[in-house]
Amino acid sequence: GSRAAAVGAASAMARGGALLVHRWCAAVALFCVAALPGRPLRPEASPLRRLPFALGAPRPLLPPPLPLQCTLLARPAGRSLGPVARKSGGEVEGQAERPRSPAWLPSEDELRALADGQKTVCFYCLREEGDSGKALCACEVMTEESSTRAFQFAAPVPAGGGGEDEGGAARVSRPRRVQVRELSFSEGKLGGHLWDGGVLMAAWLCARRGRSGAIATGGLDLFEGHRVLELGAGVGLAGLALASAAAASAGEEEGGARGVELVVTDFGAEEVPPDDSGRLIPPGLLRVLRENVEANGLGNVEVRHLDWHDFLPQSATGRAPAEPRERFERIIAADVVYYTSDLPALTAALAAHLAPGGRAFVLVPGRVWTGPLAGERATAADLIRALQPFGEVRSHALRGHCGDVEGSPVCIVELVREGAA
């Protein structure tokens, strides 16, 4: 009996030790993933997610669209969110008047229309610094599969479809939905995750002009009628959103006379030569990029392999740089700037593919880098300096909100190539 008890106790101790080791390994894995460059805080990890919100629906939308709760975020400390006593005449006893929403936030009706009855994850907003003008917004909505993320963008009425309301503003139809599937790090590396910068870039690309300031530099009108190249597309949201909006504007699913033809690019294991085995090569990225194009039913999008390193000068690689398959009048890239060592390859690929008179736009989130490798991280200023030999470089300062009200700086760096278009 004592021997059986001893065996049982040893077994329990072993199980307990295994559980501790399992938890320790899980914690280490979580730390390593969180240490990836610029890894965004997903809405489900945010303490703001717990804020209540109903948007006039019979039950709360889960999780809540956070920017709409700016009045709760601004509530004075110590105020209760529960029922309050009212004095005669409707005055609330012991509670100050609720502060107004930020001037840049679209109206509740506009955001409700963007959600279009779907359960929302959060809203992504891009705006001018300060309170001038309204923000551009995208709405992330719930999906049945955890690996799939879906976004809704306001879509303009098709060209010639009766265009403006009495106030002169562009009328919008039902929002356009774009969904993408993400990959595990082993399959997609950094490109397999949808970064917040890609969502903000998509909102900027799909907007209509008629705005002032840095927001006016983007918009669907800038790209309609052009062939557009996306560098470092990852899972493809930015390019797919632009193609979808252009198809809606042209009045048909496959694009039209003023539509946009997109070539979305990235690289994968099967096309990379063996001597580049030290790089983070995503074995499944091109495959899922093609699947995402097909899932959205877009006939105006082509997927290609494109490795930036192929266009580096011979002095850097020991081999002659590749010739581009074609040159484009417009190039886009979203959140592709991480390390200063990546800039020569990025700028070489961008310059090789941009046609004379063409324009390229790269969105760079303003991150605060910490840790021993902080000095190696690239910023928008680094990209601007790297692009200056290739043409006129402009920068447009904006502020992005990814499920929050405070937001963080975002810069869109523009390269205008010399020569006639």
Side-chain angles (χ1 to χ4, degrees):
S2 60
R3 182 178 180 181
V7 170
S11 177
M13 290 178 64
R15 287 195 301 271
L19 180 61
L20 287 174
V21 170
H22 173 76
R23 289 179 176 175
W24 182 84
C25 291
V28 170
L30 181 62
F31 173 81
C32 291
V33 172
L36 288 174
R39 184 175 185 268
L41 180 66
R42 289 291 301 275
E44 57 264 36
S46 170
L48 303 180
R49 176 189 169 100
R50 296 188 291 270
L51 289 173
F53 180 71
L55 194 60
R59 55 181 179 156
L61 300 174
L62 300 174
L66 302 176
L68 296 182
Q69 279 306 319
C70 53
T71 52
L72 288 180
L73 294 176
R75 186 185 298 273
R79 296 292 186 186
S80 169
L81 299 182
V84 293
R86 292 184 176 274
K87 295 180 179 180
S88 59
E91 182 182 353
V92 179
E93 181 177 8
Q95 183 173 351
E97 181 181 354
R98 196 167 67 173
R100 293 182 178 182
S101 301
W104 53 263
L105 189 68
S107 70
E108 190 168 312
D109 286 341
E110 291 176 280
L111 294 175
R112 183 185 289 111
L114 189 57
D116 196 30
Q118 301 293 308
K119 292 183 178 179
T120 61
V121 176
C122 74
F123 286 86
Y124 292 76
C125 299
L126 186 66
R127 65 178 178 90
E128 302 283 349
E129 288 284 5
D131 286 339
S132 60
K134 293 295 183 182
L136 305 174
C137 292
C139 176
E140 183 173 4
V141 298
M142 299 287 286
T143 62
E144 294 182 356
E145 298 182 7
S146 59
S147 62
T148 300
R149 298 177 67 183
F151 298 83
Q152 300 196 159
F153 303 90
V157 168
E164 297 184 348
D165 59 21
E166 295 178 357
R171 246 187 268 145
V172 294
S173 58
R174 291 189 65 180
R176 298 286 294 183
R177 179 184 173 113
V178 179
Q179 66 180 42
V180 293
R181 186 166 71 85
E182 294 182 302
L183 287 173
S184 64
F185 184 78
S186 62
E187 284 292 303
K189 305 307 178 190
L190 295 179
H193 173 76
L194 177 58
W195 302 90
D196 290 345
V199 186
L200 296 174
M201 184 68 158
W204 184 79
L205 292 169
C206 294
R208 276 295 184 191
R209 308 297 287 278
R211 292 171 176 266
S212 60
I215 289 288
T217 62
L220 185 56
D221 306 82
L222 181 62
F223 299 92
E224 283 181 320
H226 295 287
R227 285 180 61 77
V228 181
L229 172 69
E230 182 176 11
L231 296 175
V235 294
L237 179 70
L240 296 182
L242 174 58
S244 177
S249 177
E252 54 184 287
E253 287 297 319
E254 305 259 335
R258 298 185 66 240
V260 174
E261 294 181 355
L262 260 293
V263 178
V264 293
T265 66
D266 220 304
F267 81 119
E270 65 273 17
E271 297 92 353
V272 178
D275 59 342
D276 284 335
S277 58
R279 297 165 58 194
L280 285 176
I281 302 169
L285 189 56
L286 287 175
R287 171 181 51 82
V288 82
L289 184 53
R290 293 187 179 98
E291 291 173 356
N292 287 339
V293 171
E294 183 178 354
N296 287 279
L298 294 167
N300 54 344
V301 181
E302 177 186 353
V303 177
R304 292 183 190 172
H305 162 259
L306 196 154
D307 187 351
W308 304 346
H309 287 244
D310 291 343
F311 303 93
L312 283 167
Q314 187 170 0
S315 58
T317 63
R319 58 179 183 265
E323 284 295 320
R325 183 168 165 181
E326 67 175 297
R327 288 181 170 84
F328 296 81
E329 298 164 327
R330 300 288 185 268
I331 297 179
I332 59 173
D335 204 355
V336 295
V337 177
Y338 293 114
Y339 298 96
T340 53
S341 58
D342 293 331
L343 293 180
L346 170 61
T347 55
L350 199 154
H353 288 87
L354 189 60
R359 300 169 70 181
F361 302 90
V362 182
L363 183 143
V364 184
R367 294 188 173 98
V368 178
W369 299 107
T370 59
L373 298 179
E376 300 178 15
R377 310 295 194 186
T379 64
D382 295 323
L383 177 62
I384 290 170
R385 284 191 293 269
L387 286 174
Q388 283 174 345
F390 304 105
E392 180 185 356
V393 183
R394 307 165 182 167
S395 62
H396 311 283
L398 298 168
R399 196 161 192 85
H401 301 262
C402 303
D404 66 357
V405 174
E406 293 79 11
S408 57
V410 172
C411 183
I412 293 180
V413 178
E414 177 184 1
L415 171 66
V416 182
R417 197 68 189 267
E418 296 177 354

